[in-house]
């Protein structure tokens, strides 16, 4: 859809909502703002498939602020869009990837969950189930924040390797297959960054509260390589105040009892074993090189190794899946009783094979039924939502939700998605997020790919030093 602005320059506020509601439709949209002595009027006119719809919202000129002006522009656009949509979108006029930041802030200001629900209903037109998800997750955020002090940070360690690339994946990672020549030099470079960062942390007065090793698939590494990595982290960093240590194990084709034992013996207390589906045909269509029985085997091995905090991922909307197949997958995973179940909605991302092929994809109404079934089923089984986020080009403009049994929330997921404190990232593809006292957030990127990361290591270390000297020192 082509967007034209008249009378204002708040393109981002309107454009993000347009992309959420009409991700690929060809049409035109005009967003206007006119000023009078008493009122400021936001208007929108949308034309799609030969139909035109218009709407307006206004605010008092004496009460104008950036927030209220942008809200009026979005509300006008949403009201004009609604007659052109097949039905009310689940997140209403909310366009951001982190809708819970609104409710978390509202609750932290002393408002009640009921008042937060009313805000989402009356201001943003969010549907009842999504309002409940947002408020529940925001309450989990406030509980997680209570465990933090101002000097606390979380640590992310990136291992950008996978055996192969799944069809829906767009993460920065190398599908290495049997070609592992990049792994050892990458680990050598990562070890240097860990040691350098550890020295900066030691003199900064910062406490590491959570550690998350992600990717890629970190368990692409061999057991000896995992041992070296974990020995380095444990030996160089002060983790005496660490609340949780997570390793994204992910794919069962990268796991065995030896690796699981290495992880557990080195203090990892949370792992993921991710089916994405328990239907063989869906796994094949998604280029997942494992079977449902491999998931059950790995889960049993993880329990034998001593893990009790295990997350399992599913994706709603995978190619060739059906509502019945997804329900079967959810019930099979829930029967294993993992601490956490994360249900993603398929997002078509640049760089993913599915973005090009788009074969066997489900309509939004089918995905809506899958997600409704998820909420009803998991709540009855004692799980509650604890974090959520949205992505661009997500099927049906829905969301990803992490569900947990009581007392088993993954704190890192909350801290990362809610951006409540600094996340320090190491390794290729990592992004450091520095939270400043004034509420602003600064982002610093490590080079994306392993080759770039190794070549530019000196620059990465120099950036780390500058981050600490400028923002994270006493």
């Amino acid at each position: 859809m082509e967007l034209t602005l008249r009378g204002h320059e708040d393109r981002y506020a309107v454009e993000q909502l347009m992309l959420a509601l009409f991700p690929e439709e060809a049409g035109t949209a005009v967003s206007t703002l006119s000023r009078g002595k008493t009122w400021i009027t936001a208007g929108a006119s949308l034309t799609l498939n030969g139909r035109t719809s218009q709407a307006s919202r206004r605010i008092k000129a004496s009460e104008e602020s950036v927030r209220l002006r942008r809200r009026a522009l979005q509300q006008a656009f949403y009201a004009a869009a609604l007659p052109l949509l097949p039905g009310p979108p689940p997140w209403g006029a909310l366009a951001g990837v982190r809708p819970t930041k609104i409710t978390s802030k509202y609750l932290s200001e002393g408002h009640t969950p009921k008042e937060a629900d009313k805000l989402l209903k009356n201001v943003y037109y969010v549907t009842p189930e999504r309002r409940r998800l947002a408020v529940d997750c925001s309450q989990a955020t406030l509980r997680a924040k209570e465990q933090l002090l101002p000097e606390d940070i979380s640590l992310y360690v990136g291992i950008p390797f996978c055996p192969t690339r799944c069809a829906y994946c767009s993460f920065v990672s190398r599908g290495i297959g049997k070609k592992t020549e990049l792994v050892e030099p990458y680990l050598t470079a990562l070890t240097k960054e860990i040691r350098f960062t550890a020295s900066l942390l030691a003199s900064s007065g910062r406490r590491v509260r959570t550690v998350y090793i992600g990717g890629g698939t970190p368990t692409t590494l061999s057991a000896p390589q995992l041992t070296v990595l974990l020995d380095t982290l444990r030996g160089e960093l002060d983790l005496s105040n660490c609340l949780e240590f997570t390793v994204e194990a992910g794919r069962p084709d990268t796991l065995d009892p030896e690796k699981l034992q290495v992880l557990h013996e080195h203090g990892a207390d949370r792992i993921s074993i991710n089916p994405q589906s328990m239907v063989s045909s869906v796994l094949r269509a998604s280029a997942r090189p494992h079977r449902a029985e491999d998931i059950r085997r790995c889960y049993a091995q993880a329990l034998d190794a001593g893990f009790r905090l295990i997350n399992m991922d599913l994706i709603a909307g995978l190619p060739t899946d059906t509502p019945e197949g997804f329900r079967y997958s959810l019930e099979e995973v829930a029967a294993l009783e993992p601490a956490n179940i994360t249900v993603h909605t398929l997002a078509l991302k640049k760089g993913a094979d599915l973005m090009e092929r788009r074969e066997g994809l489900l309509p939004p109404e089918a995905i809506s039924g899958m997600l409704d079934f998820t909420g009803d089923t998991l709540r009855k089984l004692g799980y509650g939502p604890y974090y959520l986020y949205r992505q661009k080009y997500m099927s049906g403009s829905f969301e990803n939700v992490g569900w947990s049994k009581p007392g088993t929330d993954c704190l890192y997921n909350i801290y990362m998605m809610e951006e409540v404190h600094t996340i320090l990232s190491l390794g290729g593809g990592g992004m450091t997020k520095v939270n400043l006292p004034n509420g602003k957030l600064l982002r610093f990127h490590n080079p994306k790919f392993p080759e770039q990361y190794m070549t530019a290591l000196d620059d990465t270390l120099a950036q780390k030093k500058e981050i600490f000297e400028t923002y994270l020192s006493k």
Side-chain angles (χ1 to χ4, degrees), residues 18-32:
M18 181 184 74
L19 291 173
L21 299 180
F22 304 103
E24 298 182 72
E25 285 83 347
T28 60
V30 179
S31 174
T32 64

Side-chain angles (χ1 to χ4, degrees), residues 189 446-447 449-463:
N446 276 11
F449 295 101
E451 302 92 334
Q452 298 170 340
Y453 171 74
M454 292 183 287
T455 301
L457 181 60
D458 288 343
D459 294 336
T460 297
L461 299 185
Q463 183 186 72

